[in-house]
Amino acid sequence: MSHPEISARVSRRTVLLAGVALAVTGGLVRAQAPAAKAATTTNVANASNAAKARIGVIGSGRIGGTIGGLWVKAGHSVMFSSRHPEELKSMADKLGPLAQTGTVAQAIAFADVLLLAVPYGAVPAIGEQNASAWRGKTVLDATNAIAARDGAVVEEVQRNGIGATTSKYLRGAKIVRAFNFTGATEFARESHRSGAPLAVPIAGDDAQALEVASQLVRDAGFEPVVVGGLSTADRFAPGGKLFRQMGTAEEFRRAMAQQ
């Protein structure tokens, strides 16, 4: 057989193999396209669900009322709760149909995410009264332990840290410390301000809960800064060097590095 004939057969075989490879590749691309589209659709759906989180506010005073109100304005459904929910009706009515009121137990049952904003002395009782309801809940803990107000539990906070103490009483909850480093007046004034947003420090041990908390901080008009795990939460509680550290995220991180 002559060399030209061999070359011709090799060339025809190469073309045929290339055609098969192209057909297989095309088939894989077509097979993967619906899967990619489905994955994209799922991600969009998850984002949509996250944007419509149901939030329960436990303790609807100055901090709870202010932050909860900012979330209502951002499009979240919020249940404001207290021992006397009837006293919250006027506030909820002003916020519109996304706001409602209820008892603490009703708010926990209603919510995907909770904001805890009660005097710290009430935390042990709230934890005990709803002992079976906390498991799996993400709780943004905006409380602060004040010696002149909160009694013996303050000594426990000083001994063990506020993050660990809240976790002890809200057993099974995914705790993120947030919205406790300054007061309601500052949050109301600085929300969605012009220029770089106000940094809000957060701390927690659960990565998914930190993601949820970060998004809710942004929805309220601020920029989250993760300080660390729950053991770092005392850094921005009363007495900590980052308490009332007001500034942008960049400024807050610089202050963290210096402490």
Side-chain angles (χ1 to χ4, degrees):
M1 184 181 296
S2 67
H3 291 297
E5 290 174 344
I6 293 174
S7 299
R9 290 186 182 182
V10 170
S11 297
R12 285 195 297 273
R13 185 181 180 192
T14 302
V15 169
L16 287 171
L17 289 174
V20 170
L22 183 60
V24 170
T25 303
L28 286 174
V29 170
R30 286 191 296 274
Q32 289 172 350
K37 183 177 181 181
T40 302
T41 302
T42 299
N43 290 338
V44 170
N46 288 342
S48 177
N49 290 338
K52 297 177 182 177
R54 297 189 300 180
I55 302 170
V57 175
I58 302 175
S60 301
R62 297 189 66 204
I63 288 289
T66 298
I67 302 301
L70 293 174
W71 285 330
V72 169
K73 292 174 183 176
H76 294 287
S77 296
V78 178
M79 179 179 284
F80 296 90
S81 72
S82 75
R83 290 177 297 174
H84 305 287
E86 67 279 0
E87 296 176 359
L88 305 174
K89 188 176 184 304
S90 175
M91 175 185 67
D93 288 345
K94 291 177 183 177
L95 288 169
L98 289 176
Q100 56 185 296
T101 63
T103 65
V104 171
Q106 287 171 333
I108 296 172
F110 165 83
D112 304 310
V113 184
L114 294 155
L115 175 68
L116 183 67
V118 297
Y120 205 85
V123 171
I126 287 174
E128 182 179 357
Q129 290 162 6
N130 302 277
S132 63
W134 302 106
R135 185 161 301 281
K137 297 283 187 177
T138 295
V139 179
L140 277 59
D141 177 15
T143 61
N144 283 317
I146 309 298
R149 180 193 65 192
D150 295 316
V153 74
V154 176
E155 295 179 9
E156 186 177 359
V157 168
Q158 292 171 343
R159 184 170 61 251
N160 299 328
I162 195 162
T165 305
T166 301
S167 292
K168 170 188 169 182
Y169 289 111
L170 275 57
R171 192 167 300 278
K174 295 179 285 188
I175 305 296
V176 179
R177 290 282 295 169
F179 293 114
N180 69 290
F181 87 112
T182 193
T185 300
E186 289 75 22
F187 285 127
R189 183 183 66 234
E190 302 294 337
S191 172
H192 295 289
R193 70 185 188 182
S194 60
L198 176 71
V200 170
I202 63 177
D205 294 335
D206 185 279
Q208 185 177 10
L210 281 170
E211 287 183 12
V212 170
S214 294
Q215 186 57 55
L216 288 176
V217 168
R218 294 187 186 98
D219 290 348
F222 309 102
E223 181 65 25
V225 175
V226 179
V227 176
L230 274 180
S231 63
T232 69
D234 294 296
R235 296 182 67 187
F236 56 92
K241 292 184 178 180
L242 296 174
F243 186 66
R244 293 194 182 279
Q245 178 66 48
M246 307 285 286
T248 65
E250 182 180 352
E251 291 166 342
F252 195 94
R253 291 189 179 98
R254 281 203 301 266
M256 282 175 58
Q258 294 168 3
Q259 302 300 332

